Amino acid sequence: MNSQSGPPGPPTTAGSGKLAVSALAGELFEVVPIALTIFDRELRVLRVNQAMLALTGLTAEEIVGRPAPAVMPEVASAAWDMARHVLATGQASLDVEIIDVTRLRWPEERIHRVSCYPLRDCCGATVAVGQAVVDVTDQRRAEAERDAVERRLRLLGRASGLVGASLDLAATLQELVELVVPEFTDECVVLLTDEPMDPDARPHPLLMRRVVWAHLPGAPPLPGADATAGRLLKMWPGTPGHLALTLGRPIHLTFDQEMVDRIAIPGTEDYHRHFGIRSGLAVPLVAGGEFHGVVHFGLGPSGRIYTDVDARTAGELGSRIASAIANARAYARQRAAAITLQRSVLPGDVPTVEGLDVAWRYEPGTAGTEVGGDWFDVIPLSAGRVALVIGDVMGRGLTAAAAMGQVRAAVRAFAALDLTAADVLTNLDDLVRAIGTGPDGTLVSAIYAIWEPATASITVANAGHLPPAMRDPDGQVHLLDGGGDTHDVILGVGRQTVTETRYRFPVGSTLALFTDGLVESATIDIDEGTGHLLRVLARPGTLDATADRLLTFLDRTDGYDDDVALLLVHAATPTTAYTNTVVLTPEPRAAKIARSVATTSLTEWKLPELLDIAELLVSELVTNAIRYAATPLELAIRRGRHALYVEVSDNDSRVPRLLHPAADDEGGRGLQLVAGFAADWGARPTRTGKTVWFQLDLGEPD
């Protein structure tokens, strides 16, 4: 006989194993934390576990053996429809979320995830249905809160992006209100003060203007509401706008009849009544310690109600809107100051130039951009000559405008010295480098051109600027690039010598000086723009028409961020027809020849009243040149419309000085005679020496 140690083992027969599994399944049915119920084909409860009893608040005696829809009428009918579908088809229906209520949590709605399974007999027929119910209310609420937080963060992030995207206040505010409607609000109204104010001031009444108003898409327009846009509105104490300023934080508004009657936004009362705005928030717009206005958010048509979390979101939106307003207003003040400064140093009126027609255009960058340092000038010089200037100070804003003012003033000072074109820019380079010693630095491109009516020519010096374009009398158009080596030195880089090139400029010629804003943009490269300029310049037409056509090439309807300066000059009348030029050798008879040339010229031009004085002064200048220069001379006499110009040029660089001789001195009185009898006189350096000149006025022409 074999003995056994230890406790007896489990039953080993198949029947006993099934019994054990069945007992385990029954125990598991009871303890599993999922609410389980078994219904027969009449939806009577056959079995229910503890989790289901806890969910329903019923006892087993109250529910088992009875029809479930009658015992639990508060349960959504969709749950019973699922069970009937499973009994009818034998197909399981899984994970359907149903919103219903339970007795224990009445009247709170709960979200249940319901699954129904067919239970079959040994022949495979569906004789019952098992139902599993999981309460997912807390999970869905957590997910909803998470989604709400994410939406809030996305909303605030997009609002922040709009704040820095543009400095155009109206456009920025419009985009902001379109962002929050309908995502955050059904209605949004922004009211602004005319100027920033101290939040502690709290005037009675508070004056603001409605600048933006947006409501749900598709809403019918409110008749007469647009008439209040921009109109000064009075916000008395107790109204939402004044209350928000007083408390300094977002405030909840309930739009009952009393509130609608008191609201101080003329034109919106009917809107609130018609669309049923019932819940609102008024948010003060404060940035940098300054109060700028109030934004109103309203809910009604959507059925939503603002919560404390929404109030915090509205406060953050208000902070971003206030920042946008503060930035735009600060920029507007700076831009206005820069434009005022810039326009004050630009020519108020281009002088009339004998022999030339002149047209000009200047356009600052459009709103939302800072002004630049573009400028132009037309400067009368000696003997009827004229300096034509175009330039561009690199940079934007007040710094560039201020630097431009200094540079333009310096150019005019150098022009007053009657320097050559190249010398003006060479000297200007030293000034620009001195200006640029600050932290921002300064670089300037410029063209200085001198029109010479006596020779019908123009001398161009270019420092890093786009070359000017010329239209010849025969219609041919080309750039004055000086052979490609005279415009590669920008001012402010270092000590470099600027060169100059002389070009013929006969009657019928047109010269265009311009800055890069005329021919270049973010979408058009400079070669394409320059090609267009040359084509337009080749077309016949007046200077004004040509200037207008050039400005229409770049589209500025949606804003443009660069200044444009354009100067067009056209040789309209001949200037050499009344010019006599003669070369004299440095010998005593040269003075006699000069007097003879002067007499012949004035007689031919029918100016006998000037013969004596002209002969005297010409003789003095030529004699002085023979005595001190001892080089070949060139005498040029030119009759203009209003004056007679006489120039004596030699190859000696020493400029004569006006002396004050004593009574017994034998010399030194020649230039005193010139200074005493001429309307104007002077001396200027040239590339090869100097030119001494004087001017006699003719009076008004017939």
Side-chain angles (χ1 to χ4, degrees):
M1 179 179 220
N2 296 328
S3 62
Q4 293 181 344
S5 62
T12 58
T13 65
S16 61
K18 290 181 178 179
L19 290 174
V21 171
S22 176
L24 181 61
E27 183 178 351
L28 181 62
F29 183 88
E30 293 295 335
V31 301
V32 70
I34 299 174
L36 299 175
T37 309
I38 298 176
F39 308 100
D40 65 11
R41 296 190 63 84
E42 302 302 326
L43 291 185
R44 288 189 295 265
V45 179
L46 299 178
R47 188 171 182 179
V48 64
N49 70 351
Q50 292 299 318
M52 188 63 184
L53 295 175
L55 181 65
T56 61
L58 301 172
T59 65
E61 289 76 11
E62 292 174 316
I63 190 171
V64 174
R66 301 180 63 184
V71 177
M72 295 180 285
E74 69 275 7
V75 175
S77 61
W80 316 129
D81 292 340
M82 288 177 60
R84 294 187 182 97
H85 177 77
V86 172
L87 289 169
T89 64
Q91 301 294 321
S93 182
L94 306 177
D95 296 330
V96 177
E97 292 194 0
I98 297 174
I99 299 177
D100 54 18
V101 296
T102 65
R103 294 182 180 182
L104 290 183
R105 300 175 186 253
W106 180 268
E108 181 183 6
E109 289 185 340
R110 307 294 292 180
I111 303 174
H112 296 125
R113 187 168 65 235
V114 181
S115 298
C116 292
Y117 306 87
L119 300 178
R120 297 181 174 88
D121 60 14
C122 59
C123 297
T126 302
V127 296
V129 61
Q131 187 183 76
V133 179
V134 178
D135 190 333
V136 295
T137 306
D138 294 339
Q139 177 184 347
R140 294 296 176 261
R141 287 177 177 173
E143 291 172 351
E145 291 177 1
R146 179 200 64 197
D147 293 343
V149 170
E150 290 179 352
R151 287 194 302 270
R152 173 172 172 257
L153 293 176
R154 285 195 300 269
L155 178 66
L156 294 176
R158 291 161 61 192
S160 297
L162 290 177
V163 168
S166 171
L167 290 171
D168 185 333
L169 179 58
T172 299
L173 290 179
Q174 187 63 44
E175 291 181 356
L176 282 168
V177 298
E178 290 175 356
L179 171 65
V180 299
V181 177
E183 184 169 345
F184 179 75
T185 186
D186 298 345
E187 177 201 37
C188 182
V189 181
V190 179
L191 302 122
L192 299 183
T193 58
D194 285 345
E195 294 293 336
M197 57 177 286
D198 185 349
D200 296 328
R202 303 173 191 172
H204 305 291
L206 174 63
L207 301 179
M208 291 190 289
R209 300 179 191 273
R210 178 167 64 84
V211 295
V212 181
W213 183 17
H215 47 72
L216 287 176
L222 185 65
D226 290 340
T228 65
R231 198 174 72 193
L232 197 63
L233 307 175
K234 295 181 179 180
M235 304 294 173
W236 297 95
T239 56
H242 207 289
L243 189 59
L245 169 61
T246 302
L247 298 178
R249 59 173 175 79
I251 59 172
H252 281 277
L253 303 173
T254 301
F255 284 89
D256 53 19
Q257 188 60 48
E258 180 183 357
M259 173 59 75
V260 171
D261 291 339
R262 288 193 300 113
I263 193 165
I265 309 177
T268 66
E269 303 93 333
D270 291 340
Y271 179 88
H272 289 106
R273 294 190 184 100
H274 180 72
F275 291 100
I277 300 298
R278 297 165 56 190
S279 177
L281 293 167
V283 183
L285 301 177
V286 179
E290 293 181 324
F291 174 75
H292 296 275
V294 176
V295 57
H296 291 260
F297 301 108
L299 291 176
S302 65
R304 295 175 293 176
I305 298 294
Y306 282 128
T307 65
D308 290 340
V309 174
D310 293 327
R312 291 194 293 271
T313 301
E316 295 185 34
L317 284 171
S319 175
R320 285 156 175 78
I321 294 173
S323 295
I325 297 169
N327 291 342
R329 283 180 161 175
Y331 168 76
R333 289 192 296 268
Q334 183 184 32
R335 177 178 170 80
I339 290 178
T340 300
L341 173 61
Q342 191 174 41
R343 291 195 181 279
S344 69
V345 296
L346 285 172
D349 189 18
V350 173
T352 300
V353 179
E354 184 179 334
L356 292 182
D357 290 336
V358 180
W360 61 272
R361 297 290 187 274
Y362 172 78
E363 289 193 5
T366 55
T369 63
E370 294 187 283
V371 297
D374 294 13
W375 92 97
F376 70 93
D377 214 341
V378 177
I379 308 172
L381 301 176
S382 62
R385 298 152 59 249
V386 175
L388 308 170
V389 188
I390 197 91
D392 185 0
V393 176
M394 309 303 176
R396 291 283 186 273
L398 280 171
T399 301
M404 181 269 283
Q406 296 180 71
V407 172
R408 178 175 179 265
V411 170
R412 281 189 158 263
F414 294 139
L417 298 176
D418 230 343
L419 301 177
T420 65
D423 285 343
V424 168
L425 294 187
T426 299
N427 284 283
L428 189 62
D429 180 57
D430 293 332
L431 174 70
V432 172
R433 285 190 295 110
I435 297 174
T437 56
D440 295 331
T442 301
L443 295 175
V444 178
S445 66
I447 290 177
Y448 189 93
I450 298 177
W451 178 60
E452 302 270 1
T455 58
S457 65
I458 192 163
T459 301
V460 179
N462 191 332
H465 202 80
L466 293 175
M470 181 183 287
R471 182 183 187 274
D472 295 331
D474 60 3
Q476 297 296 314
V477 181
H478 53 96
L479 296 176
L480 303 186
D481 57 6
D485 59 354
T486 62
H487 58 275
D488 55 354
V489 182
I490 197 165
L491 303 177
V493 172
R495 295 182 179 277
Q496 302 185 64
T497 301
V498 182
T499 59
E500 62 184 35
T501 305
R502 176 172 288 187
Y503 303 91
R504 292 183 61 253
F505 198 66
V507 174
S509 301
T510 302
L511 183 71
L513 302 169
F514 54 93
T515 57
D516 57 357
L518 183 70
V519 295
E520 185 179 28
S521 72
T523 57
I524 298 176
D525 63 46
I526 199 166
D527 292 333
E528 181 183 356
T530 303
H532 173 78
L533 180 142
L534 295 177
R535 290 191 296 273
V536 171
L537 201 61
R539 294 167 56 184
T542 65
L543 288 188
D544 285 329
T546 300
D548 292 338
R549 285 197 297 267
L550 288 173
L551 287 179
T552 60
F553 176 56
L554 298 182
D555 185 8
R556 293 173 173 82
T557 56
D558 294 329
Y560 189 64
D561 65 352
D562 200 3
D563 293 14
V564 175
L566 171 66
L567 183 62
L568 296 176
V569 295
H570 176 72
T573 58
T575 56
T576 57
Y578 293 97
T579 301
N580 282 335
T581 303
V582 62
V583 176
L584 305 172
T585 57
E587 56 186 16
R589 62 189 299 267
K592 180 179 179 181
I593 297 174
R595 288 193 297 271
S596 176
V597 171
T599 300
T600 301
S601 300
L602 269 64
T603 300
E604 179 183 350
W605 298 335
K606 295 181 174 54
L607 298 174
E609 68 278 9
L610 297 181
L611 276 175
D612 293 339
I613 189 64
E615 284 185 349
L616 172 63
L617 300 187
V618 165
S619 180
E620 290 295 335
L621 289 189
V622 170
T623 301
N624 199 57
I626 293 173
R627 179 177 180 182
Y628 295 104
T631 66
L633 315 174
E634 181 179 89
L635 170 66
I637 304 176
R638 182 176 69 87
R639 175 186 173 172
R641 184 176 177 82
H642 302 284
L644 180 75
Y645 303 102
V646 177
E647 298 174 290
V648 176
S649 303
D650 59 50
N651 295 331
D652 190 326
S653 61
R654 292 174 297 174
V655 177
R657 294 183 298 110
L658 185 62
L659 302 177
H660 299 280
D664 55 350
D665 287 341
E666 296 182 0
R669 292 179 174 82
L671 289 182
Q672 283 196 330
L673 288 174
V674 174
F677 288 101
D680 197 6
W681 78 282
R684 64 176 184 270
T686 64
R687 302 308 296 176
T688 59
K690 67 176 180 295
T691 295
V692 183
W693 60 274
F694 68 83
Q695 169 185 330
L696 298 175
D697 290 341
L698 300 181
E700 291 298 323
D702 297 333

